[in-house]
Amino acid sequence: MKLNRTKLYQRVAASIADGIEGGRWAPGTRLPGERDLAEEYKVSRPTIREAMIALEMKGWIEARHGSGLYVTHRDSSGGLREDALNLDIGAFDLTEARILFEGEAAALAAVSITAEQLAELDHIAQEMADPATGNATLFDADHRFHIAVANATGNAAIRSVVEYLWELRTRSPLCANMFDRARRNGVNPRYDEHRPILDALHARDPHGARAAMRRHLRGVVDDLLEATELELLERARHELDARRDTLAKRLEIGPA
């Protein structure tokens, strides 16, 4: 029996691409909004967002006119299916997996962490809290913090899983694209979201550590949703400004 290994965002993106190819949405027409698409495909808003970004990365749609996403290309070769839109794991799927694994890792770490490991996490947290810390160092500190929590479980398999999930942030084209969009819109690791995790680890409180880690990672999902939405709005604003400049120049042309 052959298993269907396509990802949910791929199936949604491929269905929308098939709709474009079949004439449901002609080039230049506006796609329905996220809410309508989520209801039609019976999926979450993050899945629709990943599908839209996959289609945008492939050149099928773009944001314009400040009113949503528009069809820019209809494939003439035919045969576009899920594989053509396979950009690996999206940031929302990845973060959902992190909530599951890193939440439990934090709970286990709370009952097995050593004084030396707590000191290491304190040092990393101070790096994140320092206003002088540059973005590159900040992202590195964020990575080291989460790996240090996984290491504090004393379980090599858990550490390996958490490391693999972090590697996907850059290895997966769709995931890397989404996090790059977030960084461009000013989303950076925040000390105040990591501090409750560290406090729970110091208190050796597994329930508190799990809750704090999950709360932090759910915040990552919210940041990604907001950042990708802001990017669409920013593009629309730039286009509107350009149109205003063009109109102003045309109006300056008077009779000879």
Side-chain angles (χ1 to χ4, degrees), residues 31-99:
L31 287 176
E34 281 184 2
R35 185 185 301 276
D36 292 334
L37 288 171
E39 289 179 358
E40 177 178 347
Y41 289 99
K42 295 180 173 54
V43 296
S44 67
R45 183 182 171 202
T47 296
I48 293 296
R49 187 67 58 85
E50 287 181 341
M52 293 298 100
I53 290 174
L55 287 166
E56 186 182 6
M57 289 174 68
K58 291 292 186 178
W60 284 66
I61 61 174
E62 67 176 2
R64 57 180 183 169
H65 303 316
S67 58
L69 294 164
Y70 285 74
V71 176
T72 59
H73 173 69
R74 182 162 58 193
D75 188 89
S76 59
S77 63
L80 177 70
R81 293 298 181 266
E82 290 93 338
D83 286 348
L85 286 159
N86 185 9
L87 296 165
D88 208 0
I89 305 297
F92 295 117
D93 274 357
L94 173 67
T95 308
E96 184 177 53
R98 289 185 61 199
I99 290 170

